[in-house]
């Protein structure tokens, strides 16, 4: 959906809309079918079952990870824009789910890996710090910028960086840049970690 949107921005024509509309609209239909209504909280939840981008979490115990909540909203808003561009009727569920998603979970002033993971920065501080991608990669419309900055600083302090992957470092840098912290962005880009090392053939080092 994000790629289809970029294609449209590069070539805002009816041909582009027709070419990718099934991908956009069918993806949106799946997304609203996957989200489920939480009557008590009056929000739509994501998971369980769900495996977030930080893949060390079990599918049966993962709920409302910040990155996934943000890209659910982002994807549905793309579908809504495409329907408007094509002058088609908008599926009311797209708007309903996009406007009623759960808030990204936080505790003690920082975002958690997901709602059921209070130990995020104690035992799950490895692999991708994907909660940062809710602002570094995506628009961050559900994100509190002060909480995200504190989360970014917490991640920098306690994350097990040898467990991270090549795309984590620029993701952190993009989050820092979006928060107006250019020096912090450079720190992430230049972090001394094995998988933040680029070989002469252009590959990212892995053991």
């Amino acid at each position: 959906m994000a790629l289809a949107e970029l294609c449209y921005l590069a070539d805002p024509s009816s041909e582009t809309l027709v070419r990718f509309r099934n991908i956009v609209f069918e993806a949106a239909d799946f997304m609203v079918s996957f989200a489920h209504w939480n009557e008590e909280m009056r929000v739509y939840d994501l998971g369980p079952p769900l495996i977030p981008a930080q893949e060390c979490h079990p599918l049966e115990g993962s709920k409302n990870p910040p990155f996934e909540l943000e890209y659910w909203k982002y994807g549905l808003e793309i579908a809504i824009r495409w329907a408007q561009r094509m002058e088609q009727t908008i599926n009311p569920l797209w708007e309903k789910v996009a406007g009623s998603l759960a808030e990204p979970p936080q505790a003690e002033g920082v975002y958690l890996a997901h709602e059921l993971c209070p130990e995020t920065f104690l035992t799950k501080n490895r692999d991708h710090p994907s909660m940062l991608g809710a602002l570094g990669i995506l628009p961050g419309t559900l994100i509190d910028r002060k909480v995200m900055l504190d989360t970014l600083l917490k991640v920098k302090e306690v994350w097990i960086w040898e467990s991270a992957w090549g795309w984590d470092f620029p993701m952190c840098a993009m989050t820092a840049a979006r928060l107006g912290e250019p020096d912090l962005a450079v720190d992430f880009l230049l972090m001394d970690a094995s998988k933040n090392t680029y070989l002469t053939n252009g590959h990212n080092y892995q053991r």
Side-chain angles (χ1 to χ4, degrees):
M1 298 168 86
L3 181 56
E5 179 71 0
L6 290 174
C7 289
Y8 178 79
L9 294 176
D11 177 19
S13 65
S14 59
E15 290 80 6
T16 302
L17 293 171
V18 170
R19 181 179 181 187
F20 296 114
R21 66 181 174 188
N22 287 345
I23 292 173
V24 172
F25 293 161
E26 290 177 21
D29 287 341
F30 161 74
M31 292 167 78
V32 296
S33 75
F34 183 85
H36 54 95
W37 181 247
N38 183 326
E39 184 64 33
E40 179 183 356
M41 303 302 295
R42 308 295 295 175
V43 297
Y44 281 97
D45 289 329
L46 298 182
L50 181 149
I51 296 179
Q54 186 187 3
E55 297 175 65
C56 60
H57 298 278
L59 66 86
E60 69 277 2
S62 300
K63 179 181 179 183
N64 292 331
F67 182 49
E68 283 71 12
L69 286 168
E70 180 66 25
Y71 78 60
W72 235 250
K73 186 171 188 290
Y74 177 61
L76 291 172
E77 288 175 346
I78 288 174
I80 291 166
R81 285 199 298 274
W82 277 56
Q84 291 169 339
R85 290 165 180 162
M86 302 186 76
E87 299 182 349
Q88 294 188 6
T89 302
I90 298 169
N91 182 338
L93 275 176
W94 298 352
E95 295 180 311
K96 184 177 181 182
V97 173
S100 304
L101 285 164
E103 290 292 316
Q106 56 175 285
E108 299 180 358
V110 293
Y111 286 115
L112 299 176
H114 62 81
E115 189 174 312
L116 305 178
C117 191
E119 69 278 13
T120 294
F121 298 98
L122 297 173
T123 63
K124 293 294 186 180
N125 55 335
R126 54 190 168 87
D127 195 48
H128 310 298
S130 58
M131 73 288 284
L132 302 178
L135 182 64
I137 297 173
L138 297 167
T141 55
L142 295 173
I143 295 301
D144 181 297
R145 296 174 74 88
K146 172 62 167 62
V147 175
M148 183 57 82
L149 177 57
D150 290 342
T151 306
L152 182 64
L153 294 173
K154 183 77 170 179
V155 165
K156 187 172 188 288
E157 176 188 357
V158 307
W159 214 254
I160 302 171
W161 289 107
E162 287 302 305
S163 72
W165 296 87
W167 61 268
D168 295 319
F169 303 95
M171 177 184 68
C172 294
M174 290 190 293
T175 304
R178 294 285 301 279
L179 291 167
E181 299 288 340
D183 291 343
L184 187 56
V186 173
D187 286 346
F188 279 110
L189 289 175
L190 299 181
M191 184 176 287
D192 184 14
S194 61
K195 282 179 279 188
N196 197 36
T197 301
Y198 292 85
L199 306 180
T200 54
N201 63 0
H203 285 199
N204 183 249
Y205 176 82
Q206 296 183 39
R207 282 195 296 271

